[in-house]
Amino acid sequence: MTLLTFRFAPSPNGELHLGHAYSALLNQQMAARAGGRLLLRIEDIDIARCTPEFEAGIFHDLKWLGLGWEEPVRRQSEHFAEYRAVLDRLIAEELVYPAFMSRGEIRAFIAETGGRDWPRDPDGVPLYPSLDKALSMKERKRRIAENIPFAWRLDVEAATARMSGALSWTEFTDETMAATHTVEARPQAWGDVIVARRDIPTSYHLAVVVDDALQGVSHVVRGQDLYAATGVQRLLQELLGLSPPRYFHHRLILGADGRKLSKSLKDTGIAALRQAGVSPQDVRRLVGL
């Protein structure tokens, strides 16, 4: 019988905080209850922001919390060739296109046309204008040859047209995994999302579905902030013929001001709590475990 497989997949672009601790410990707890495996994956495709120092901090923090995981640890930066092969397949099937508009050009175009009425994704970001999809192949090749910056974006309209039925995923009701319900996937809400960049042949969405499939991940347990993004990942899974895992999107650990904790805002990290004399059991109590 195949063991259920869970994973904790942090990015080494900052110090882990209590929100990460909760997610990691919950994955450990759910895997243990199910008699399953726990994997650790380092999601370091952002080579500009991810550092060996932050990665070392992740290992230190997780071991201090009492986590164990199967080896070897998968580092996404070591697998760009695999992501490139998947990207080439999407390019060949004309499901992605090179998008050349800069952020400033996007803002200017929206201001001139849609303004405040321009559609936005679930995170509140304006959807990418569809101008680049109308470019001829000759013009696309010319711009690429001239090293004009671009990103590969998923043509959501073309992609969803490939679907023969409704797109959905299975969501656990709570961490006991005693019951599930079906959630309708709405990738269209995100517009033409980035799936790769000129210099990095993947994005979070593309890498995560490839990795979950290659590692045999059966259960994805992660924060509620990624709930809506699951729609994009389910679309990619269907396009690539990948079996979807089941999902549980857990509550977020909030700061005193009511917002979710953030690396970029330098919320108190696990390392700082440890140095202040907080114990692993204290951390479990702080996050409600």
Side-chain angles (χ1 to χ4, degrees), residues 90 154 205-206 209 232-240:
L90 294 174
L154 181 66
H205 291 303
L206 187 62
V209 300
V232 174
Q233 292 162 25
R234 281 293 297 115
L235 178 57
L236 286 169
Q237 288 161 351
E238 290 296 311
L239 293 174
L240 298 170

Side-chain angles (χ1 to χ4, degrees), residues 185-253:
R186 299 186 62 251
Q188 300 93 330
W190 295 90
D192 292 348
V193 296
I194 293 174
V195 294
R197 300 188 183 277
R198 180 178 61 174
D199 53 341
I200 300 175
T202 189
S203 67
Y204 165 72
H205 291 303
L206 187 62
V208 77
V209 300
V210 170
D211 289 348
D212 284 343
L214 285 175
Q215 294 188 285
V217 173
S218 61
H219 291 62
V220 171
V221 177
R222 60 189 184 186
Q224 186 69 28
D225 52 334
L226 289 169
Y227 183 88
T230 309
V232 174
Q233 292 162 25
R234 281 293 297 115
L235 178 57
L236 286 169
Q237 288 161 351
E238 290 296 311
L239 293 174
L240 298 170
L242 305 177
S243 297
R246 292 185 169 193
Y247 294 87
F248 176 56
H249 292 90
H250 58 70
R251 62 183 172 86
L252 300 178
I253 303 298

Side-chain angles (χ1 to χ4, degrees), residues 53-129:
E53 292 76 20
F54 284 137
E55 181 179 322
I58 287 173
F59 284 99
H60 191 181
D61 290 344
L62 295 180
K63 288 177 180 177
W64 176 74
L65 285 171
L67 257 77
W69 52 83
E70 289 194 6
E71 298 287 351
V73 172
R74 182 178 175 91
R75 290 176 180 80
Q76 291 182 332
S77 61
E78 298 172 352
H79 298 276
F80 282 169
E82 294 172 33
Y83 307 136
R84 180 73 222 190
V86 175
L87 175 62
D88 287 343
R89 175 179 165 185
L90 294 174
I91 294 171
E93 295 183 15
E94 298 184 351
L95 291 170
V96 298
Y97 63 90
F100 300 94
M101 296 180 73
S102 67
R103 291 180 180 177
E105 289 170 336
I106 294 171
R107 288 194 297 268
F109 178 83
I110 291 174
E112 292 174 2
T113 54
R116 294 182 179 178
D117 295 327
W118 192 265
R120 295 174 178 267
D121 69 23
D123 285 341
V125 178
L127 301 191
Y128 189 77

Side-chain angles (χ1 to χ4, degrees), residues 125-141:
V125 178
L127 301 191
Y128 189 77
S130 59
L131 295 179
D132 291 329
K133 284 195 284 190
L135 294 176
S136 67
M137 186 61 67
K138 181 179 180 180
E139 177 61 16
R140 290 178 181 180
K141 290 181 177 179

